[in-house]
Amino acid sequence: MLIIGHQTVAGLLQGREKEVIDLVADAYRRHDEGRTSLPHSVFLRFPDRPRDRIIGLPGYLGGSGAERGAGTGADAGDDGIAGMKWIASFPGNIADGVQRASAAILLNSLRNGQPEALIEGSLISAQRTAASAAVGARMLLGGRRPSGITLIGCGVINREVLRFLGVEHPGLDRLTVYDTDPERARRFTEDNARLLPSAAVRHCDSLDEALAAHDLVSIATTAATPHTGLDACPPGTVVLHVSLRDLTTSAVLEAHNVVDDPDHVCRENTSVHLAELATGGREFIDASIGALLRGTARLNPLPGRPLVYSPFGLGVLDLALARFVRDRARAGGLGTDVTDFLPAPAA
């Protein structure tokens, strides 16, 4: 069993944003092609602590062998992967100076099913989320250059979103931020100014003021229920609805909507799920991101209507990035190899 800690993961991912974006886009394509197995996420909740939760995301991401129609097991491709992410979200941690989310990712051998790597997963989870947002922005913007970027929520996820969007759009020169805690917003821009070094930074006193600032918005908050519409946004704004529960049902229904997987995102009282319950169907979902990437679906947005990307966060993205980290750690002799983790083979 190879165990890879946070600092090693951070070192292996440093400066690899373009590769991570490519890995995430490729995982979405494979999922849309049917080369994944992706059970619904399991939500562990606590009766007396409604804000806290731990989520299990199991999955299998098929490799190149599946594309060729090869067999199963060790012969099923040189880059297939199976495993699970176990991620906790405890929003109260923020007040104690501890990250809201913590995670571990377990990878299993496709040859014999045995666990073969345990990887600290908080940064992997944040970066695959941010890379997914960058892919969504690329597809929904349709080649146009955003006027700037607005970040709603000044935490770890939007820090990574800013990092990845800065790589995707190196000419971005305007950044607007809003957080319900103005001091957290101030610290955020001070700590992360290097991610968009040439940008003019603006702090907003209200959510509507922030939404009105630019035509590219990333929402990553800890909101559990819808609290905002999109009327303040400029026409044609692309909204990366990363935290999934911020937008009202009317805002969803009045927008063009792209998701990563309809069956996954229409659960757990997400804004998209509430829109489905209100309408009795999913006709308001225009396309999946995988279909857009593969060209099997196209967006034909009405002039002025917002475009909302709501990625539930598929476990195969974590697996693709965890495999990348595992392989680079093995190649560099990094991590801790625990040789007695599993029972000894039978004689």
Side-chain angles (χ1 to χ4, degrees):
M1 168 72 81
L2 181 63
I3 299 177
I4 307 172
H6 176 82
Q7 291 302 321
T8 300
V9 173
L12 292 172
L13 291 177
Q14 186 174 3
R16 301 279 179 168
E17 289 84 4
K18 286 186 178 295
E19 290 171 85
V20 173
I21 291 171
D22 289 344
L23 285 170
V24 165
D26 180 65
Y28 277 141
R29 291 188 190 96
R30 295 189 191 204
H31 179 62
D32 192 66
E33 291 167 355
R35 290 196 280 153
T36 63
S37 179
L38 200 62
H40 281 305
S41 306
V42 176
F43 283 71
L44 175 62
R45 300 187 185 277
F46 309 94
D48 57 340
R49 304 170 67 173
R51 296 184 69 201
D52 299 338
R53 64 191 182 189
I54 307 177
I55 310 172
L57 292 84
Y60 163 74
L61 178 63
S64 56
E67 186 177 29
R68 296 190 302 268
T72 59
D75 298 325
D78 56 3
D79 54 355
I81 192 70
M84 181 170 181
K85 179 176 75 172
W86 185 242
I87 181 166
S89 175
F90 281 53
N93 286 355
I94 296 172
D96 298 328
V98 179
Q99 286 195 10
R100 173 188 62 83
S102 57
I105 300 174
L106 182 67
L107 301 182
N108 293 79
S109 166
L110 289 178
R111 181 176 60 83
N112 57 22
Q114 291 184 338
E116 59 181 12
L118 179 64
I119 306 170
E120 198 284 321
S122 62
L123 185 57
I124 288 174
S125 186
Q127 289 207 4
R128 67 80 150 147
T129 301
S132 170
V135 172
R138 178 194 301 171
M139 303 308 297
L140 273 62
L141 284 168
R144 61 186 166 100
R145 184 180 183 276
S147 63
I149 179 171
T150 295
L151 302 180
I152 309 297
C154 295
V156 171
I157 297 299
N158 259 345
R159 178 194 70 198
E160 295 302 320
V161 169
L162 180 62
R163 182 194 309 278
F164 279 78
L165 288 177
V167 170
E168 277 279 286
H169 303 278
L172 279 176
D173 57 4
R174 290 196 290 170
L175 170 65
T176 295
V177 299
Y178 172 77
D179 195 282
T180 54
D181 182 348
E183 177 60 22
R184 183 160 62 230
R186 185 191 63 78
R187 291 197 306 269
F188 179 91
T189 52
E190 286 183 355
D191 294 344
N192 298 292
R194 68 191 184 282
L195 299 179
L196 219 61
S198 61
V201 178
R202 173 184 172 190
H203 291 82
C204 291
D205 296 324
S206 72
L207 178 56
D208 279 354
E209 180 188 357
L211 289 172
H214 306 299
D215 59 359
L216 178 59
V217 177
S218 175
I219 305 177
T221 75
T222 58
T225 56
H227 61 91
T228 185
L230 297 174
D231 292 343
C233 292
T237 294
V238 170
V239 179
L240 309 173
H241 188 202
V242 177
S243 42
L244 294 175
R245 295 171 178 83
D246 302 80
L247 300 183
T248 62
T249 294
S250 60
V252 172
L253 297 179
E254 292 167 5
H256 291 288
N257 292 278
V258 174
V259 302
D260 49 7
D261 184 291
D263 288 334
H264 284 259
V265 77
C266 289
R267 298 181 68 226
E268 295 293 328
N269 293 322
T270 66
S271 294
V272 177
H273 183 204
L274 296 178
E276 178 193 33
L277 295 176
T279 62
R282 300 176 181 176
E283 291 78 10
F284 60 89
I285 297 177
D286 292 74
S288 72
I289 193 69
L292 291 179
L293 285 164
R294 295 179 61 223
T296 57
R298 295 187 66 181
L299 275 180
N300 297 298
L302 296 175
R305 181 174 287 192
L307 298 95
V308 176
Y309 178 46
S310 300
F312 190 72
L314 306 182
V316 290
L317 308 183
D318 301 284
L319 298 182
L321 191 45
R323 175 184 59 202
F324 176 76
V325 167
R326 180 204 64 190
D327 292 348
R328 294 194 69 221
R330 281 178 172 170
L334 303 174
T336 301
D337 194 10
V338 180
T339 57
D340 61 352
F341 182 82
L342 295 170

mmCIF file of all heavy atoms in Angstrom, residues 140-174:
data_model
loop_
_atom_site.group_PDB
_atom_site.id
_atom_site.type_symbol
_atom_site.label_atom_id
_atom_site.label_comp_id
_atom_site.label_asym_id
_atom_site.label_seq_id
_atom_site.Cartn_x
_atom_site.Cartn_y
_atom_site.Cartn_z
ATOM 1 N N LEU A 140 -18.896 27.075 -22.290
ATOM 2 C CA LEU A 140 -20.036 27.994 -22.252
ATOM 3 C C LEU A 140 -19.695 29.379 -22.787
ATOM 4 O O LEU A 140 -20.564 30.069 -23.320
ATOM 5 C CB LEU A 140 -20.604 28.097 -20.836
ATOM 6 C CG LEU A 140 -21.672 27.032 -20.469
ATOM 7 C CD1 LEU A 140 -21.105 25.633 -20.532
ATOM 8 C CD2 LEU A 140 -22.265 27.320 -19.102
ATOM 9 N N LEU A 141 -18.453 29.799 -22.629
ATOM 10 C CA LEU A 141 -18.053 31.087 -23.194
ATOM 11 C C LEU A 141 -17.990 31.036 -24.721
ATOM 12 O O LEU A 141 -18.138 32.064 -25.389
ATOM 13 C CB LEU A 141 -16.691 31.515 -22.633
ATOM 14 C CG LEU A 141 -16.687 32.047 -21.201
ATOM 15 C CD1 LEU A 141 -15.260 32.148 -20.673
ATOM 16 C CD2 LEU A 141 -17.391 33.407 -21.108
ATOM 17 N N GLY A 142 -17.751 29.867 -25.271
ATOM 18 C CA GLY A 142 -17.763 29.711 -26.707
ATOM 19 C C GLY A 142 -16.716 30.525 -27.440
ATOM 20 O O GLY A 142 -16.950 31.003 -28.551
ATOM 21 N N GLY A 143 -15.569 30.723 -26.826
ATOM 22 C CA GLY A 143 -14.485 31.444 -27.480
ATOM 23 C C GLY A 143 -14.434 32.928 -27.176
ATOM 24 O O GLY A 143 -13.444 33.589 -27.513
ATOM 25 N N ARG A 144 -15.461 33.485 -26.539
ATOM 26 C CA ARG A 144 -15.394 34.911 -26.215
ATOM 27 C C ARG A 144 -14.542 35.139 -24.969
ATOM 28 O O ARG A 144 -14.457 34.287 -24.088
ATOM 29 C CB ARG A 144 -16.783 35.514 -26.041
ATOM 30 C CG ARG A 144 -17.636 34.925 -24.917
ATOM 31 C CD ARG A 144 -19.028 35.527 -24.973
ATOM 32 N NE ARG A 144 -19.993 34.812 -24.160
ATOM 33 C CZ ARG A 144 -20.394 35.191 -22.969
ATOM 34 N NH1 ARG A 144 -19.906 36.308 -22.428
ATOM 35 N NH2 ARG A 144 -21.289 34.486 -22.300
ATOM 36 N N ARG A 145 -13.935 36.297 -24.907
ATOM 37 C CA ARG A 145 -13.080 36.655 -23.787
ATOM 38 C C ARG A 145 -13.918 37.286 -22.682
ATOM 39 O O ARG A 145 -14.640 38.249 -22.936
ATOM 40 C CB ARG A 145 -11.999 37.642 -24.228
ATOM 41 C CG ARG A 145 -11.003 38.010 -23.147
ATOM 42 C CD ARG A 145 -9.976 39.004 -23.697
ATOM 43 N NE ARG A 145 -8.958 39.326 -22.722
ATOM 44 C CZ ARG A 145 -9.097 40.261 -21.779
ATOM 45 N NH1 ARG A 145 -10.212 40.951 -21.693
ATOM 46 N NH2 ARG A 145 -8.106 40.503 -20.931
ATOM 47 N N PRO A 146 -13.860 36.751 -21.461
ATOM 48 C CA PRO A 146 -14.643 37.355 -20.373
ATOM 49 C C PRO A 146 -14.117 38.743 -20.015
ATOM 50 O O PRO A 146 -12.916 39.019 -20.141
ATOM 51 C CB PRO A 146 -14.465 36.368 -19.219
ATOM 52 C CG PRO A 146 -13.187 35.660 -19.506
ATOM 53 C CD PRO A 146 -13.085 35.583 -21.007
ATOM 54 N N SER A 147 -15.026 39.603 -19.568
ATOM 55 C CA SER A 147 -14.635 40.963 -19.180
ATOM 56 C C SER A 147 -13.819 40.968 -17.894
ATOM 57 O O SER A 147 -13.091 41.911 -17.604
ATOM 58 C CB SER A 147 -15.886 41.824 -18.990
ATOM 59 O OG SER A 147 -16.702 41.318 -17.932
ATOM 60 N N GLY A 148 -13.948 39.920 -17.128
ATOM 61 C CA GLY A 148 -13.265 39.759 -15.850
ATOM 62 C C GLY A 148 -13.902 38.569 -15.163
ATOM 63 O O GLY A 148 -14.708 37.852 -15.768
ATOM 64 N N ILE A 149 -13.575 38.349 -13.908
ATOM 65 C CA ILE A 149 -14.176 37.242 -13.176
ATOM 66 C C ILE A 149 -14.655 37.722 -11.819
ATOM 67 O O ILE A 149 -13.968 38.494 -11.136
ATOM 68 C CB ILE A 149 -13.200 36.060 -13.019
ATOM 69 C CG1 ILE A 149 -13.869 34.939 -12.212
ATOM 70 C CG2 ILE A 149 -11.883 36.483 -12.397
ATOM 71 C CD1 ILE A 149 -13.091 33.654 -12.165
ATOM 72 N N THR A 150 -15.835 37.273 -11.450
ATOM 73 C CA THR A 150 -16.389 37.524 -10.123
ATOM 74 C C THR A 150 -16.377 36.227 -9.328
ATOM 75 O O THR A 150 -16.828 35.189 -9.826
ATOM 76 C CB THR A 150 -17.832 38.045 -10.217
ATOM 77 O OG1 THR A 150 -17.830 39.325 -10.849
ATOM 78 C CG2 THR A 150 -18.454 38.173 -8.839
ATOM 79 N N LEU A 151 -15.867 36.280 -8.118
ATOM 80 C CA LEU A 151 -15.868 35.137 -7.208
ATOM 81 C C LEU A 151 -16.843 35.417 -6.081
ATOM 82 O O LEU A 151 -16.699 36.396 -5.341
ATOM 83 C CB LEU A 151 -14.476 34.894 -6.640
ATOM 84 C CG LEU A 151 -13.344 34.638 -7.639
ATOM 85 C CD1 LEU A 151 -12.027 34.406 -6.897
ATOM 86 C CD2 LEU A 151 -13.664 33.449 -8.544
ATOM 87 N N ILE A 152 -17.840 34.555 -5.933
ATOM 88 C CA ILE A 152 -18.790 34.619 -4.822
ATOM 89 C C ILE A 152 -18.409 33.512 -3.847
ATOM 90 O O ILE A 152 -18.555 32.332 -4.134
ATOM 91 C CB ILE A 152 -20.239 34.416 -5.302
ATOM 92 C CG1 ILE A 152 -20.569 35.347 -6.462
ATOM 93 C CG2 ILE A 152 -21.206 34.598 -4.137
ATOM 94 C CD1 ILE A 152 -20.516 36.804 -6.132
ATOM 95 N N GLY A 153 -17.891 33.901 -2.683
ATOM 96 C CA GLY A 153 -17.356 32.939 -1.729
ATOM 97 C C GLY A 153 -15.846 32.900 -1.818
ATOM 98 O O GLY A 153 -15.289 32.608 -2.889
ATOM 99 N N CYS A 154 -15.194 33.196 -0.723
ATOM 100 C CA CYS A 154 -13.732 33.344 -0.738
ATOM 101 C C CYS A 154 -13.082 32.243 0.096
ATOM 102 O O CYS A 154 -12.522 32.479 1.170
ATOM 103 C CB CYS A 154 -13.338 34.729 -0.226
ATOM 104 S SG CYS A 154 -13.893 36.060 -1.305
ATOM 105 N N GLY A 155 -13.176 31.018 -0.412
ATOM 106 C CA GLY A 155 -12.588 29.876 0.261
ATOM 107 C C GLY A 155 -11.636 29.117 -0.640
ATOM 108 O O GLY A 155 -11.208 29.609 -1.690
ATOM 109 N N VAL A 156 -11.313 27.899 -0.244
ATOM 110 C CA VAL A 156 -10.328 27.084 -0.954
ATOM 111 C C VAL A 156 -10.765 26.793 -2.386
ATOM 112 O O VAL A 156 -9.954 26.856 -3.321
ATOM 113 C CB VAL A 156 -10.085 25.761 -0.192
ATOM 114 C CG1 VAL A 156 -9.229 24.811 -1.018
ATOM 115 C CG2 VAL A 156 -9.424 26.045 1.153
ATOM 116 N N ILE A 157 -12.046 26.488 -2.582
ATOM 117 C CA ILE A 157 -12.503 26.114 -3.921
ATOM 118 C C ILE A 157 -12.346 27.278 -4.887
ATOM 119 O O ILE A 157 -11.806 27.116 -5.995
ATOM 120 C CB ILE A 157 -13.958 25.624 -3.884
ATOM 121 C CG1 ILE A 157 -14.070 24.359 -3.021
ATOM 122 C CG2 ILE A 157 -14.458 25.345 -5.300
ATOM 123 C CD1 ILE A 157 -13.249 23.191 -3.510
ATOM 124 N N ASN A 158 -12.799 28.463 -4.507
ATOM 125 C CA ASN A 158 -12.658 29.595 -5.422
ATOM 126 C C ASN A 158 -11.208 30.035 -5.582
ATOM 127 O O ASN A 158 -10.851 30.632 -6.602
ATOM 128 C CB ASN A 158 -13.546 30.760 -4.991
ATOM 129 C CG ASN A 158 -14.818 30.836 -5.829
ATOM 130 O OD1 ASN A 158 -14.920 30.214 -6.882
ATOM 131 N ND2 ASN A 158 -15.784 31.603 -5.366
ATOM 132 N N ARG A 159 -10.371 29.753 -4.608
ATOM 133 C CA ARG A 159 -8.942 30.001 -4.802
ATOM 134 C C ARG A 159 -8.422 29.153 -5.957
ATOM 135 O O ARG A 159 -7.693 29.642 -6.833
ATOM 136 C CB ARG A 159 -8.154 29.659 -3.534
ATOM 137 C CG ARG A 159 -6.638 29.861 -3.680
ATOM 138 C CD ARG A 159 -5.902 29.192 -2.536
ATOM 139 N NE ARG A 159 -5.952 27.741 -2.629
ATOM 140 C CZ ARG A 159 -5.701 26.909 -1.623
ATOM 141 N NH1 ARG A 159 -5.424 27.387 -0.428
ATOM 142 N NH2 ARG A 159 -5.760 25.592 -1.800
ATOM 143 N N GLU A 160 -8.809 27.873 -5.979
ATOM 144 C CA GLU A 160 -8.359 27.003 -7.057
ATOM 145 C C GLU A 160 -9.043 27.361 -8.377
ATOM 146 O O GLU A 160 -8.428 27.273 -9.446
ATOM 147 C CB GLU A 160 -8.603 25.539 -6.694
ATOM 148 C CG GLU A 160 -7.779 25.049 -5.503
ATOM 149 C CD GLU A 160 -6.287 25.219 -5.733
ATOM 150 O OE1 GLU A 160 -5.805 24.976 -6.854
ATOM 151 O OE2 GLU A 160 -5.585 25.607 -4.772
ATOM 152 N N VAL A 161 -10.317 27.753 -8.322
ATOM 153 C CA VAL A 161 -10.993 28.206 -9.540
ATOM 154 C C VAL A 161 -10.243 29.396 -10.130
ATOM 155 O O VAL A 161 -10.013 29.472 -11.344
ATOM 156 C CB VAL A 161 -12.459 28.572 -9.240
ATOM 157 C CG1 VAL A 161 -13.086 29.297 -10.433
ATOM 158 C CG2 VAL A 161 -13.261 27.315 -8.914
ATOM 159 N N LEU A 162 -9.847 30.335 -9.277
ATOM 160 C CA LEU A 162 -9.084 31.495 -9.745
ATOM 161 C C LEU A 162 -7.761 31.057 -10.379
ATOM 162 O O LEU A 162 -7.361 31.558 -11.437
ATOM 163 C CB LEU A 162 -8.825 32.448 -8.582
ATOM 164 C CG LEU A 162 -8.024 33.717 -8.909
ATOM 165 C CD1 LEU A 162 -8.765 34.579 -9.917
ATOM 166 C CD2 LEU A 162 -7.747 34.505 -7.621
ATOM 167 N N ARG A 163 -7.097 30.111 -9.762
ATOM 168 C CA ARG A 163 -5.826 29.603 -10.294
ATOM 169 C C ARG A 163 -6.023 29.011 -11.702
ATOM 170 O O ARG A 163 -5.285 29.323 -12.636
ATOM 171 C CB ARG A 163 -5.256 28.532 -9.361
ATOM 172 C CG ARG A 163 -3.898 27.976 -9.795
ATOM 173 C CD ARG A 163 -3.547 26.704 -9.048
ATOM 174 N NE ARG A 163 -3.683 26.827 -7.614
ATOM 175 C CZ ARG A 163 -2.760 27.373 -6.814
ATOM 176 N NH1 ARG A 163 -1.641 27.835 -7.338
ATOM 177 N NH2 ARG A 163 -2.957 27.438 -5.513
ATOM 178 N N PHE A 164 -7.039 28.172 -11.850
ATOM 179 C CA PHE A 164 -7.233 27.479 -13.118
ATOM 180 C C PHE A 164 -7.788 28.411 -14.193
ATOM 181 O O PHE A 164 -7.410 28.292 -15.364
ATOM 182 C CB PHE A 164 -8.139 26.263 -12.915
ATOM 183 C CG PHE A 164 -7.410 25.072 -12.375
ATOM 184 C CD1 PHE A 164 -7.079 24.977 -11.025
ATOM 185 C CD2 PHE A 164 -7.022 24.036 -13.212
ATOM 186 C CE1 PHE A 164 -6.397 23.886 -10.527
ATOM 187 C CE2 PHE A 164 -6.330 22.938 -12.727
ATOM 188 C CZ PHE A 164 -6.007 22.863 -11.372
ATOM 189 N N LEU A 165 -8.672 29.334 -13.824
ATOM 190 C CA LEU A 165 -9.165 30.286 -14.811
ATOM 191 C C LEU A 165 -8.059 31.241 -15.245
ATOM 192 O O LEU A 165 -8.033 31.691 -16.392
ATOM 193 C CB LEU A 165 -10.354 31.062 -14.249
ATOM 194 C CG LEU A 165 -11.657 30.265 -14.112
ATOM 195 C CD1 LEU A 165 -12.739 31.135 -13.483
ATOM 196 C CD2 LEU A 165 -12.129 29.722 -15.455
ATOM 197 N N GLY A 166 -7.139 31.544 -14.332
ATOM 198 C CA GLY A 166 -5.998 32.374 -14.696
ATOM 199 C C GLY A 166 -5.108 31.704 -15.722
ATOM 200 O O GLY A 166 -4.532 32.367 -16.593
ATOM 201 N N VAL A 167 -5.004 30.372 -15.650
ATOM 202 C CA VAL A 167 -4.243 29.624 -16.636
ATOM 203 C C VAL A 167 -4.989 29.566 -17.964
ATOM 204 O O VAL A 167 -4.409 29.717 -19.044
ATOM 205 C CB VAL A 167 -3.938 28.207 -16.115
ATOM 206 C CG1 VAL A 167 -3.359 27.324 -17.216
ATOM 207 C CG2 VAL A 167 -2.979 28.281 -14.936
ATOM 208 N N GLU A 168 -6.311 29.349 -17.907
ATOM 209 C CA GLU A 168 -7.130 29.278 -19.117
ATOM 210 C C GLU A 168 -7.249 30.622 -19.819
ATOM 211 O O GLU A 168 -7.333 30.689 -21.039
ATOM 212 C CB GLU A 168 -8.536 28.778 -18.749
ATOM 213 C CG GLU A 168 -8.653 27.285 -18.640
ATOM 214 C CD GLU A 168 -8.802 26.609 -19.994
ATOM 215 O OE1 GLU A 168 -9.879 26.691 -20.608
ATOM 216 O OE2 GLU A 168 -7.816 25.999 -20.447
ATOM 217 N N HIS A 169 -7.280 31.703 -19.029
ATOM 218 C CA HIS A 169 -7.470 33.050 -19.582
ATOM 219 C C HIS A 169 -6.375 33.969 -19.029
ATOM 220 O O HIS A 169 -6.626 34.787 -18.141
ATOM 221 C CB HIS A 169 -8.852 33.585 -19.219
ATOM 222 C CG HIS A 169 -9.984 32.706 -19.661
ATOM 223 N ND1 HIS A 169 -10.478 32.718 -20.939
ATOM 224 C CD2 HIS A 169 -10.693 31.768 -18.989
ATOM 225 C CE1 HIS A 169 -11.461 31.833 -21.046
ATOM 226 N NE2 HIS A 169 -11.609 31.240 -19.874
ATOM 227 N N PRO A 170 -5.161 33.844 -19.535
ATOM 228 C CA PRO A 170 -4.040 34.597 -18.958
ATOM 229 C C PRO A 170 -4.180 36.108 -19.079
ATOM 230 O O PRO A 170 -3.487 36.846 -18.394
ATOM 231 C CB PRO A 170 -2.835 34.075 -19.749
ATOM 232 C CG PRO A 170 -3.399 33.497 -21.004
ATOM 233 C CD PRO A 170 -4.738 32.960 -20.638
ATOM 234 N N GLY A 171 -5.079 36.584 -19.914
ATOM 235 C CA GLY A 171 -5.237 38.028 -20.064
ATOM 236 C C GLY A 171 -6.233 38.650 -19.104
ATOM 237 O O GLY A 171 -6.486 39.865 -19.183
ATOM 238 N N LEU A 172 -6.816 37.865 -18.200
ATOM 239 C CA LEU A 172 -7.795 38.419 -17.270
ATOM 240 C C LEU A 172 -7.152 39.518 -16.429
ATOM 241 O O LEU A 172 -6.115 39.302 -15.795
ATOM 242 C CB LEU A 172 -8.342 37.326 -16.353
ATOM 243 C CG LEU A 172 -9.451 36.428 -16.914
ATOM 244 C CD1 LEU A 172 -9.794 35.340 -15.909
ATOM 245 C CD2 LEU A 172 -10.692 37.242 -17.233
ATOM 246 N N ASP A 173 -7.762 40.688 -16.424
ATOM 247 C CA ASP A 173 -7.163 41.806 -15.695
ATOM 248 C C ASP A 173 -8.128 42.482 -14.735
ATOM 249 O O ASP A 173 -7.841 43.555 -14.211
ATOM 250 C CB ASP A 173 -6.595 42.842 -16.676
ATOM 251 C CG ASP A 173 -7.654 43.366 -17.636
ATOM 252 O OD1 ASP A 173 -8.843 42.994 -17.495
ATOM 253 O OD2 ASP A 173 -7.294 44.145 -18.539
ATOM 254 N N ARG A 174 -9.297 41.838 -14.480
ATOM 255 C CA ARG A 174 -10.237 42.395 -13.504
ATOM 256 C C ARG A 174 -10.810 41.263 -12.649
ATOM 257 O O ARG A 174 -11.285 40.248 -13.180
ATOM 258 C CB ARG A 174 -11.359 43.164 -14.197
ATOM 259 C CG ARG A 174 -10.874 44.471 -14.833
ATOM 260 C CD ARG A 174 -12.044 45.391 -15.159
ATOM 261 N NE ARG A 174 -12.838 44.872 -16.263
ATOM 262 C CZ ARG A 174 -14.022 45.386 -16.616
ATOM 263 N NH1 ARG A 174 -14.548 46.389 -15.933
ATOM 264 N NH2 ARG A 174 -14.684 44.876 -17.649
#
